[in-house]
Structure formats: structure tokens, C-alpha cells
Amino acid sequence: VSCLCGSAPCLLCGCCPSVKNSTVSRLLFTFFLFLGTLVSIIMIIPDVEKELHKLPGFCEGSGSVLGVQSNVNCGSFLGHKAVYRMGFAMAAFFCLFAIIMVYVRSSKDPRAAVQNGFWFFKFLVLVGITVGAFYIPDGAFTSVWFYFGVVGSFLFILIQLILLIDFAHSWSQLWLRNASESDAKGWYAALCIVTFIFYATSIAAIVLLYVYYTRPEDCTEGKVLISINLILCLIVSAVSILPKIQEAQPHSGLLQASLITLYTFYVTWSALANVPTRTCNPTLLVRNSTGSTMAAQPLTTWWDAPSIVGLIIFILCTLFISIRSSDHPQVNKLMLTEESGVGTGGEAVAVESGVHRAYDNEQDGVSYNYTFFHLCLLLAALYIMMTLTNWYRPDESSQALTSPWTAVWVKICSSWVGLLLYLWTLVAPLVLPKRDFS
């Protein structure tokens, strides 16, 4: 307990290497986010969901449930309600630290000690906020919080897209550099194979989307959305290999375009899985106020394929935010994660002493923006909340959990914004030739 009340260094065991204090702190805050996600997943499991009504004040005695009138059996919505409460608790926790850490410039600021230490007390704060969240009066809480989740999820999808574009560029540059330095054709062959796999998977996804989410005489919206994204992906793929683009950015190519194309059709798939028309969406699940579901449908709604893929991408992106900075200065400036060059002395002392511990690398300047990092985790908490509930919301008129068109358009718009961002990374050196886009 004394270690947990102290700073990050003493949390490392003897088998751990000496690492930066800032990295340990980011990983521990990310662990809190993953812990909250695990609790949310447990609460939405059918057997656990059935027992949530035993929590005092959680179900009984409320005037309404999830924004639905009091004649609704809250037992049918308890898992959904619990995930929203857990999402609110995690968002409030990270919002609190985002406010506290405003304008922290170095570890000499007393607030930096709060950022990098007192983990036991932080855990107690998170537990306290979570317990309090389960006592929030129902009323219209979930109906209103749904829209907070939509906005936060849209912003986090944009962050995912920025990280994906950066990863694609870094990946291509690394393999091309290895190929040029070693003069080995194997690297070029690997680039071609991976690019082919990405495009082949994307083509298969397009075919499956047309087969399962459209009908010859119906589902016009699905046909239009799939076709638009197909055309946009063809455009960015063609632009990426234009001679002028290649001259301005020798490392740009089809590897990045293929990865962006694959992610775009994942987002399209996720969006079509929220279309509220059963004829156009075979995976649609509507749960009514009596707790009954469609025949042979499970009570829970989070473990369909799009949600599982979204959960995996969420884990990878949050770890990416916590562990490393980008290879590109522009991305570091955008994500506010420019690593400072200080702290090498602390590393040398830690290595020479033989003690495996985190060393302070922020004495002369923070290596990442504390407030922005917590805001990213706040958005991640909202995103995982929406993912685990399949972006479903209570429908007051039909007293059921339904999938709204709002979720469809938010996801589709995010895919369009992602393609535009990638297109901008290609044409920016031509549009603004005086700026450094190295």
C-alpha cells in the first residue's frame, strides 16, 4: 500500500526494465480504463445482468428507467444501464484529471506528483465515482448521455484514424528504408504481399456487405453508402501513386492506401450493422420492455462481430497513445506528444545503480500534454461505452432498445473524414510547397 500511495518508480518489479516515468504513468491510467471496460463487459453478461437488480437503488424506486416511463420492467435494460453508468464514471474520472493537470509544464510542478503517483488513492477515487454513478436518478440520464457518447465516440474515431494514417506511413517508410539499405528484394516482396492481402480482404468485405446488407429491391441507403466509400477508396488509391505525389512523397504508396481502405470498410460494416431496418440488417436486435427478445436471440448485444473488432482496435489505439510517440513531427504536434530530450541522466543513474525503476524524464519539460492525454482517455471511455451497447438507445415510444440512424451517420461521416485526412496527407506538400512535410 505504501508503494501504491507513492510515485510510479516503486511500482516496477525486479523483472521490469528501467523506463520513463511518463510511460509508466500513461500505462497505469490506461490500465484503469481497461479495468473499467472489463467491469462493463462483466455487467452486460446475461447471468450477471439478471442479478443487477439486487444492487440497492439501482432498479427499484426509480421513476423511470433509461429515460422510459416507470411502467417499463427495468430488468430488461439493466446491463445497458450499467454500462452507461460505468462509462459516465470513467469519463468523469478522466475529466477530473484533465482539469487538474491544465498547464503542467514539468515534473517540478506539484501537480505532476499527482499525475505520476498516489495510485492507490486514484483507484479509490475511481471506485467512489463509480459507486456514485449507480445512484444517479434515471429520468432522462441515459437518453441525454447517449448523445454525449455519440459526440465523444466520433472524436475518438478521428483519433483512431490519425493514428492509423501515421502508422501506415511509418510502416511503409520503415520497409522501404530497409529495402534500400540492405538492397534486398524481400522487403519489396513483403510490401506487395501485404498490400495485396489488404486489398483482397477489402474486396471480399465489399462483396459481403452487398450480399448481407442490401436487397435487390430495397436498402437504397446501404447501396449508396457502400458505393460512395468504394469510389472514395479508389480515388485515394489512385492519387497515392500519381507521379507528382510520388515525387513530393517518395514513401507514399499503395500500402497506406490499402490499409486505409480496409479500415474504411470496417467502419462501413459497423455503420450498416446499426441500420434500424431488419430487412437491410440481419444482425439487428430489438429488445422490448418486457425483456423478451427475438426468437433464439441472446439477451446481450455487445459481442457481435463489429463490436469485437471495435474492442480490439480500441485496445490497440489506447496502448499506442500510452506507449509511444509518432515518428512524424506533425503528428506529435497534433497529438501533443513531442518527447523531450531530458531525462537521460535519470536513465543512466537507474542503469548504473542496478535498480529497475522508472526515472524522471520530465524535469525540464513534460514529454506529453497531461490534459490532452486524459481527454483522449475520456473519449476512449465514451467510445467503448457506445461499442459495448452497440450504439443502441432506449425508444420511449416503443419502450425498446433500438438502433438509431444517428449511429449510422456518425460512423459513415467518420469514414469520410478519415479518407479526407489521408488524402490531405498526400496532396499537402503540393498545395503548401513552402511548408516542411518531411
Side-chain angles (χ1 to χ4, degrees):
V1 173
S2 62
C3 263
L4 290 174
C5 295
S7 59
C10 60
L11 292 177
L12 293 179
C13 62
C15 62
C16 297
S18 296
V19 295
K20 298 174 182 177
N21 200 26
S22 58
T23 302
V24 176
S25 298
R26 283 183 284 184
L27 284 174
L28 288 171
F29 275 113
T30 303
F31 170 75
F32 282 173
L33 176 63
F34 288 167
L35 182 62
T37 302
L38 179 61
V39 172
S40 298
I41 293 174
I42 292 174
M43 286 183 171
I44 208 170
I45 293 175
D47 292 337
V48 177
E49 183 181 10
K50 294 176 183 177
E51 301 298 323
L52 288 177
H53 70 278
K54 296 180 180 179
L55 292 177
F58 184 46
C59 179
E60 299 176 356
S62 298
S64 61
V65 178
L66 301 177
V68 185
Q69 299 304 316
S70 57
N71 61 342
V72 177
N73 175 18
C74 65
S76 63
F77 294 136
L78 284 183
H80 188 281
K81 177 181 177 182
V83 172
Y84 267 63
R85 292 303 197 277
M86 196 68 222
F88 174 83
M90 290 191 293
F93 176 78
F94 293 119
C95 181
L96 173 64
F97 279 92
I99 296 173
I100 294 175
M101 299 301 160
V102 172
Y103 293 123
V104 174
R105 300 302 186 190
S106 71
S107 60
K108 297 176 183 178
D109 190 311
R111 291 174 295 170
V114 178
Q115 170 76 6
N116 299 316
F118 303 102
W119 298 102
F120 178 72
F121 295 109
K122 290 176 186 174
F123 178 74
L124 292 182
V125 170
L126 178 59
V127 171
I129 295 176
T130 303
V131 172
F134 279 79
Y135 283 91
I136 296 176
D138 287 319
F141 168 77
T142 306
S143 298
V144 174
W145 192 242
F146 169 83
Y147 291 101
F148 279 91
V150 166
V151 175
S153 299
F154 176 79
L155 295 176
F156 187 73
I157 290 175
L158 294 185
I159 292 176
Q160 287 182 339
L161 288 165
I162 293 171
L163 296 177
L164 182 67
I165 294 171
D166 174 53
F167 172 75
H169 280 294
S170 299
W171 186 1
S172 178
Q173 288 179 12
L174 176 62
W175 281 18
L176 289 174
R177 185 169 60 248
N178 290 342
S180 61
E181 291 176 355
S182 62
D183 196 22
K185 295 182 179 180
W187 290 106
Y188 293 110
L191 273 172
C192 294
I193 292 172
V194 172
T195 301
F196 173 78
I197 291 174
F198 285 162
Y199 273 124
T201 307
S202 299
I203 293 172
I206 294 169
V207 173
L208 291 174
L209 290 178
Y210 275 121
V211 170
Y212 288 100
Y213 291 94
T214 65
R215 295 291 179 269
E217 68 287 348
D218 198 4
C219 308
T220 304
E221 297 90 347
K223 296 174 185 175
V224 171
L225 295 177
I226 298 171
S227 300
I228 289 176
N229 279 357
L230 173 58
I231 294 171
L232 292 176
C233 288
L234 290 174
I235 291 174
V236 297
S237 297
V239 170
S240 67
I241 55 176
L242 290 176
K244 288 189 177 181
I245 299 295
Q246 290 289 308
E247 182 180 351
Q249 295 198 72
H251 293 104
S252 68
L254 290 178
L255 176 63
Q256 300 97 310
S258 64
L259 183 57
I260 299 301
T261 297
L262 182 60
Y263 183 80
T264 297
F265 282 103
Y266 155 70
V267 177
T268 306
W269 173 36
S270 180
L272 294 177
N274 277 110
V275 171
T277 307
R278 178 162 295 279
T279 56
C280 303
N281 180 10
T283 61
L284 181 67
L285 173 63
V286 178
R287 295 174 56 185
N288 61 30
S289 60
T290 62
S292 62
T293 63
M294 302 300 294
Q297 291 280 6
L299 284 175
T300 46
T301 62
W302 77 269
W303 50 52
D304 63 341
S307 297
I308 292 175
V309 176
L311 180 63
I312 294 172
I313 295 175
F314 154 79
I315 293 173
L316 294 177
C317 283
T318 48
L319 287 176
F320 190 88
I321 294 172
S322 303
I323 294 175
R324 67 171 294 242
S325 296
S326 172
D327 297 330
H328 301 92
Q330 287 79 15
V331 178
N332 282 330
K333 290 177 182 178
L334 183 63
M335 298 296 293
L336 303 180
T337 55
E338 289 191 276
E339 288 287 351
S340 59
V342 297
T344 53
E347 180 181 12
V349 171
V351 172
E352 291 177 2
S353 64
V355 178
H356 298 276
R357 56 180 295 154
Y359 58 91
D360 186 0
N361 63 312
E362 300 179 308
Q363 294 181 0
D364 296 326
V366 295
S367 61
Y368 65 102
N369 187 295
Y370 290 175
T371 295
F372 184 78
F373 172 71
H374 289 296
L375 289 178
C376 286
L377 294 188
L378 186 157
L379 298 177
L382 294 177
Y383 172 80
I384 199 60
M385 177 188 77
M386 300 303 294
T387 299
L388 293 180
T389 57
N390 269 8
W391 296 64
Y392 283 18
R393 74 176 180 188
D395 189 324
E396 296 188 13
S397 59
S398 61
Q399 297 184 352
L401 289 177
T402 60
S403 180
W405 276 103
T406 305
V408 178
W409 288 111
V410 166
K411 294 178 181 180
I412 287 296
C413 290
S414 69
S415 70
W416 294 342
V417 173
L419 289 170
L420 290 175
L421 281 174
Y422 175 62
L423 186 62
W424 172 250
T425 64
L426 297 176
V427 303
L430 300 178
V431 177
L432 302 172
K434 295 183 179 181
R435 292 191 60 180
D436 179 21
F437 288 97
S438 59

